[in-house]
Amino acid sequence: MWSWLTRVFRRGRAAERAEADGRVDEAIRLYLDAGERDEAVRVLLRAADTARTLDARRALLVRAYGLVKDPALRDEARRAVALCTLAELEESPPRTDEERRRIRDRIREVRDEIRDARRDARQAEEALHYAEIEARAVRGAIGGRYGVW
Protein backbone atom coordinates (compact mmCIF):
# COMPACT_ATOMS: atom_id res chain seq x y z
CA MET A 1 0.00 0.00 0.00
CA TRP A 2 2.83 2.40 0.82
CA SER A 3 4.32 1.95 -2.61
CA TRP A 4 0.99 2.88 -4.20
CA LEU A 5 0.67 6.00 -2.03
CA THR A 6 4.27 6.95 -2.75
CA ARG A 7 3.67 6.63 -6.50
CA VAL A 8 0.52 8.76 -6.32
CA PHE A 9 2.19 11.54 -4.33
CA ARG A 10 5.33 11.40 -6.48
CA ARG A 11 3.19 11.81 -9.61
CA GLY A 12 1.46 14.81 -8.05
CA ARG A 13 4.79 16.52 -7.34
CA ALA A 14 6.08 15.60 -10.80
CA ALA A 15 2.92 17.07 -12.32
CA GLU A 16 3.45 20.31 -10.40
CA ARG A 17 7.05 20.49 -11.67
CA ALA A 18 5.94 19.80 -15.24
CA GLU A 19 3.28 22.49 -14.95
CA ALA A 20 5.79 25.00 -13.59
CA ASP A 21 8.18 24.17 -16.45
CA GLY A 22 5.43 24.73 -19.03
CA ARG A 23 5.12 21.08 -20.09
CA VAL A 24 1.33 21.17 -20.16
CA ASP A 25 0.64 17.80 -21.79
CA GLU A 26 2.94 15.99 -19.39
CA ALA A 27 1.44 17.80 -16.39
CA ILE A 28 -2.07 16.82 -17.49
CA ARG A 29 -1.06 13.19 -17.98
CA LEU A 30 0.63 13.06 -14.57
CA TYR A 31 -2.33 14.70 -12.81
CA LEU A 32 -4.68 12.20 -14.42
CA ASP A 33 -2.40 9.31 -13.44
CA ALA A 34 -2.42 10.60 -9.87
CA GLY A 35 -6.23 10.73 -9.92
CA GLU A 36 -6.36 14.53 -9.73
CA ARG A 37 -8.79 15.19 -12.55
CA ASP A 38 -9.76 18.68 -11.32
CA GLU A 39 -6.11 19.75 -11.34
CA ALA A 40 -5.74 18.47 -14.91
CA VAL A 41 -8.80 20.50 -15.91
CA ARG A 42 -7.39 23.58 -14.16
CA VAL A 43 -4.11 23.20 -16.11
CA LEU A 44 -6.04 22.87 -19.38
CA LEU A 45 -8.11 25.98 -18.65
CA ARG A 46 -4.97 28.02 -17.83
CA ALA A 47 -3.20 26.72 -20.92
CA ALA A 48 -6.20 27.74 -23.02
CA ASP A 49 -5.94 31.27 -21.60
CA THR A 50 -2.41 31.56 -23.00
CA ALA A 51 -2.99 29.76 -26.31
CA ARG A 52 -1.80 31.70 -29.33
CA THR A 53 -4.55 30.74 -31.75
CA LEU A 54 -8.28 30.31 -31.37
CA ASP A 55 -8.05 26.76 -32.75
CA ALA A 56 -5.50 25.78 -30.09
CA ARG A 57 -7.61 27.49 -27.45
CA ARG A 58 -10.76 25.67 -28.52
CA ALA A 59 -8.94 22.31 -28.56
CA LEU A 60 -7.73 22.81 -24.98
CA LEU A 61 -11.14 24.00 -23.77
CA VAL A 62 -13.01 21.12 -25.36
CA ARG A 63 -10.51 18.71 -23.82
CA ALA A 64 -11.03 20.35 -20.40
CA TYR A 65 -14.81 20.24 -20.77
CA GLY A 66 -14.61 16.53 -21.60
CA LEU A 67 -12.63 15.76 -18.44
CA VAL A 68 -14.42 17.92 -15.88
CA LYS A 69 -16.71 16.42 -13.23
CA ASP A 70 -16.92 19.28 -10.71
CA PRO A 71 -20.02 21.45 -11.47
CA ALA A 72 -18.20 24.73 -10.77
CA LEU A 73 -15.33 23.82 -13.09
CA ARG A 74 -17.83 22.58 -15.68
CA ASP A 75 -19.51 26.00 -15.65
CA GLU A 76 -16.14 27.71 -15.97
CA ALA A 77 -15.21 25.47 -18.91
CA ARG A 78 -18.59 26.04 -20.57
CA ARG A 79 -18.19 29.82 -20.23
CA ALA A 80 -14.68 29.63 -21.66
CA VAL A 81 -15.91 27.63 -24.67
CA ALA A 82 -18.71 30.16 -25.22
CA LEU A 83 -16.24 33.06 -25.06
CA CYS A 84 -13.97 31.26 -27.51
CA THR A 85 -16.90 30.79 -29.87
CA LEU A 86 -17.72 34.49 -29.58
CA ALA A 87 -14.09 35.40 -30.35
CA GLU A 88 -14.20 33.12 -33.41
CA LEU A 89 -17.38 34.79 -34.62
CA GLU A 90 -15.87 38.24 -34.13
CA GLU A 91 -12.77 37.18 -36.06
CA SER A 92 -14.73 35.56 -38.86
CA PRO A 93 -18.41 36.54 -38.97
CA PRO A 94 -20.90 34.20 -40.66
CA ARG A 95 -20.80 34.56 -44.42
CA THR A 96 -23.72 32.51 -45.64
CA ASP A 97 -27.38 32.36 -44.79
CA GLU A 98 -26.88 28.77 -43.62
CA GLU A 99 -24.25 29.85 -41.07
CA ARG A 100 -26.51 32.63 -39.84
CA ARG A 101 -29.43 30.22 -39.52
CA ARG A 102 -27.30 27.75 -37.53
CA ILE A 103 -26.19 30.53 -35.19
CA ARG A 104 -29.77 31.74 -34.68
CA ASP A 105 -30.89 28.15 -34.01
CA ARG A 106 -28.12 27.68 -31.45
CA ILE A 107 -29.03 30.96 -29.73
CA ARG A 108 -32.63 29.78 -29.54
CA GLU A 109 -31.50 26.43 -28.09
CA VAL A 110 -29.37 28.14 -25.44
CA ARG A 111 -32.26 30.42 -24.47
CA ASP A 112 -34.52 27.35 -24.16
CA GLU A 113 -31.90 25.63 -21.98
CA ILE A 114 -31.72 28.68 -19.72
CA ARG A 115 -35.51 28.85 -19.45
CA ASP A 116 -35.67 25.12 -18.64
CA ALA A 117 -32.94 25.45 -16.00
CA ARG A 118 -34.80 28.33 -14.35
CA ARG A 119 -38.03 26.32 -14.38
CA ASP A 120 -36.24 23.33 -12.83
CA ALA A 121 -34.76 25.58 -10.12
CA ARG A 122 -38.22 26.96 -9.31
CA GLN A 123 -39.67 23.45 -9.10
CA ALA A 124 -36.82 22.35 -6.82
CA GLU A 125 -37.42 25.33 -4.53
CA GLU A 126 -41.13 24.54 -4.37
CA ALA A 127 -40.44 20.87 -3.62
CA LEU A 128 -38.04 21.86 -0.84
CA HIS A 129 -40.62 24.25 0.59
CA TYR A 130 -43.31 21.55 0.65
CA ALA A 131 -40.89 19.02 2.16
CA GLU A 132 -40.12 21.46 4.97
CA ILE A 133 -43.85 21.96 5.60
CA GLU A 134 -44.41 18.19 5.71
CA ALA A 135 -41.45 17.71 8.07
CA ARG A 136 -42.91 20.33 10.44
CA ALA A 137 -46.30 18.60 10.28
CA VAL A 138 -44.77 15.23 11.12
CA ARG A 139 -42.79 16.73 14.00
CA GLY A 140 -45.96 18.35 15.33
CA ALA A 141 -47.95 15.13 14.92
CA ILE A 142 -45.57 12.94 16.88
CA GLY A 143 -45.04 15.70 19.45
CA GLY A 144 -41.76 14.38 20.80
CA ARG A 145 -43.14 10.94 21.57
CA TYR A 146 -40.39 9.10 19.72
CA GLY A 147 -37.25 11.11 20.36
CA VAL A 148 -36.35 11.16 16.69
CA TRP A 149 -36.26 14.94 16.40
Side-chain angles (χ1 to χ4, degrees):
M1 174 156 163
W2 286 108
S3 63
W4 178 80
L5 285 172
T6 304
R7 271 198 317 262
V8 167
F9 287 120
R10 194 176 303 137
R11 283 185 186 142
R13 285 193 301 268
E16 290 170 1
R17 281 193 304 275
E19 183 182 356
D21 292 342
R23 299 183 318 244
V24 175
D25 288 331
E26 184 178 349
I28 293 164
R29 183 183 56 77
L30 290 169
Y31 276 129
L32 289 174
D33 288 348
E36 297 181 32
R37 182 181 288 245
D38 290 345
E39 285 299 312
V41 170
R42 184 189 57 75
V43 170
L44 281 166
L45 291 174
R46 296 307 153 252
D49 287 343
T50 61
R52 293 187 179 164
T53 65
L54 288 174
D55 290 337
R57 179 183 231 178
R58 175 173 288 285
L60 290 166
L61 291 172
V62 168
R63 195 167 157 199
Y65 189 75
L67 287 175
V68 71
K69 296 288 184 196
D70 178 44
L73 278 175
R74 179 174 291 278
D75 290 343
E76 183 179 344
R78 179 179 279 159
R79 276 192 298 275
V81 169
L83 289 172
C84 183
T85 302
L86 182 62
E88 288 172 345
L89 287 172
E90 288 173 347
E91 185 177 279
S92 172
R95 293 183 187 96
T96 66
D97 289 337
E98 175 64 22
E99 288 178 355
R100 288 184 188 93
R101 186 193 58 75
R102 280 197 338 243
I103 291 170
R104 280 193 300 271
D105 289 348
R106 184 60 187 139
I107 290 170
R108 197 172 306 113
E109 289 173 10
V110 168
R111 286 182 178 154
D112 290 345
E113 288 174 14
I114 291 169
R115 187 179 58 247
D116 292 345
R118 287 181 178 151
R119 184 195 65 231
D120 293 345
R122 277 193 309 273
Q123 289 174 345
E125 288 174 356
E126 290 173 5
L128 178 62
H129 177 71
Y130 289 124
E132 289 171 347
I133 291 171
E134 290 176 6
R136 278 191 297 255
V138 168
R139 282 188 204 120
I142 62 173
R145 287 180 271 176
Y146 297 103
V148 174
W149 283 285

